[in-house]
Amino acid sequence: MSTGFVQTLPVFKAADLTVVRGANLGDLISFADELDLDDVYELGARSTTARLAVQPCRAGLLAVAPGSTIGTVGNAVHLDAALTLMTANGATTEMLVLVEVDSSGDIDAIYAMPLARMLPRTDYTLVGIDRASARDRFAEVACVSFSRGTLVTLASGVQTPIQDLVPGDMILTRDDGSRPLRWIGSSTARAVGEFAPVRIRAGALNNSGDLVVSPESRLFIYQRSDALGVGRHEVMVRARHLVNGDSIVQQDGGFVDYFHLLFDEHQIIYAEGIAAETMLVDPRTRSVLPEALADGLAEGPDGTLSQPLPGHARRAHQDFEVKKHLVERPDAAEILRRASTR
């Protein structure tokens, strides 16, 4: 199995979603071939999302990663379909169906990953089944992203709004100095539930302005003292693990414009004055790339990608991530803020 980037997904188990009206009355949510349009699903009254940890593995697949609260570590996870569900008032909810299979290819479990908040005792009518877009929708969730208006530091020291950047712009990176931007992509996402952006208010981590990023984005922090007790000064922390409801909050509601920055290597840049990672290309995220880039990516047997982006296979800073339990506390941001200045 690959030792690549691990992502934790909020998913419902199949048993949490049942057909209450329609052709498959009483059936659980399943893969696309077993679904029928116009079936009405209901979420169980006591259903809560579980945390499915996945990482890239062979042949562009995902696999259940160590530390997952559900699933069997090492089992492959297939992105089966993107579903569209509609409530009685016309609101739509997207959902990704993931299928876990064992080493023999038999289905072990089916999971539903909602891309918006779902409520119990609410009718959700299945109005769309799309197998072609599942990988693209998942890639948009997996990509680390910055919101419109984020100020990025150029090699010249000038700070420029992210939406004004173009390929070829020279950007200041932490590890490699001045580097040209290879590609910039954008997408609009619903800012709801677990996928709502994280706002790091000005000063929370010594940032000059509010920084709004996708929840999976990782921030690089140099601790002058090892305040977290991790045995090193350099750490990377996921934005969603720092949410404290005060200086760092998750903004729920409406839509958010996200921008993805790609370099020939996985880089750490300066956004609103603090260090944050850029897009990491791997089998989870490659489908957001334009064809000219995605078609040139060769994949090794362990799921890593090579030419023309060899700098995305492995970089030292990718090993600096801090475990969730060390930072998921109300004062974590303040501890890191102080540690980075003293």
Side-chain angles (χ1 to χ4, degrees):
M1 176 192 282
S2 166
T3 56
F5 190 94
V6 175
Q7 184 173 5
T8 304
L9 309 174
V11 299
F12 290 112
K13 298 177 182 178
D16 292 325
L17 283 158
T18 308
V19 178
V20 293
R21 286 197 306 280
N24 296 309
L25 181 63
D27 286 357
L28 311 180
I29 197 77
S30 187
F31 52 89
D33 287 346
E34 293 192 343
L35 302 178
D36 284 308
L37 294 176
D38 297 325
D39 275 356
V40 179
Y41 288 83
E42 186 176 286
L43 184 66
R46 297 184 179 181
S47 297
T48 57
T49 54
R51 312 299 298 191
L52 175 66
V54 297
Q55 64 186 138
C57 68
R58 66 193 183 282
L61 296 176
L62 300 172
V64 180
S68 182
T69 61
I70 54 175
T72 300
V73 173
N75 274 358
V77 177
H78 297 264
L79 290 166
D80 180 70
L83 309 182
T84 303
L85 303 155
M86 182 178 291
T87 60
N89 64 5
T92 58
T93 297
E94 285 187 287
M95 174 188 293
L96 298 182
V97 176
L98 299 93
V99 180
E100 178 188 344
V101 300
D102 62 22
S103 57
S104 300
D106 296 324
I107 295 176
D108 253 13
I110 294 174
Y111 307 109
M113 185 173 86
L115 301 184
R117 183 177 291 110
M118 295 186 68
L119 301 173
R121 300 188 179 90
T122 300
D123 288 350
Y124 291 94
T125 302
L126 181 60
V127 296
I129 304 170
D130 187 351
R131 300 190 99 157
S133 68
R135 187 169 291 275
D136 291 344
R137 295 296 288 123
F138 181 77
E140 290 173 2
V141 172
C143 278
V144 298
S145 311
F146 302 90
S147 70
R148 179 180 294 276
T150 298
L151 295 179
V152 175
T153 304
L154 303 183
S156 64
V158 172
Q159 292 192 325
T160 299
I162 195 168
Q163 66 271 17
D164 294 340
L165 296 175
V166 296
D169 280 347
M170 301 302 291
I171 311 294
L172 180 64
T173 71
R174 181 188 179 276
D175 297 318
D176 297 320
S178 176
R179 283 291 184 270
L181 180 63
R182 180 68 173 271
W183 173 78
I184 179 170
S186 63
S187 61
T188 300
R190 293 182 68 180
V192 292
E194 301 229 20
F195 303 106
V198 173
R199 178 178 292 273
I200 301 164
R201 300 193 191 282
L205 292 173
N206 299 308
N207 43 311
S208 55
D210 284 12
L211 176 63
V212 181
V213 295
S214 56
E216 288 291 317
S217 294
R218 294 183 296 180
L219 308 170
F220 179 93
I221 297 168
Y222 181 85
Q223 310 173 92
R224 295 181 182 275
S225 60
D226 183 15
L228 292 182
V230 296
R232 61 177 179 271
H233 294 283
E234 299 169 309
V235 296
M236 292 189 76
V237 186
R238 298 192 196 201
R240 66 181 177 84
H241 291 164
L242 291 173
V243 171
N244 57 23
D246 181 19
S247 62
I248 301 180
V249 297
Q250 199 153 18
Q251 290 191 166
D252 197 346
F255 293 83
V256 58
D257 291 332
Y258 276 139
F259 291 82
H260 328 297
L261 301 182
L262 177 71
F263 294 81
D264 285 344
E265 306 85 14
H266 181 237
Q267 294 288 1
I268 296 171
I269 63 168
Y270 296 92
E272 299 295 345
I274 60 174
E277 71 171 331
T278 58
M279 179 179 172
L280 174 65
V281 179
D282 62 22
R284 301 167 310 128
T285 60
R286 65 187 295 182
S287 65
V288 303
L289 296 176
E291 289 185 11
L293 274 176
D295 290 347
L297 295 176
E299 188 173 310
D302 63 349
T304 59
L305 300 175
S306 57
Q307 295 291 345
L309 299 171
H312 288 251
R314 200 72 194 168
R315 302 209 73 187
H317 58 244
Q318 290 173 239
D319 296 322
F320 295 161
E321 184 172 348
V322 176
K323 297 297 184 184
K324 174 182 176 181
H325 71 275
L326 291 175
V327 290
E328 209 167 37
R329 44 188 287 187
D331 59 347
E334 179 60 19
I335 289 172
L336 288 169
R337 187 192 66 79
R338 292 198 306 264
S340 64
T341 56
R342 294 179 181 176

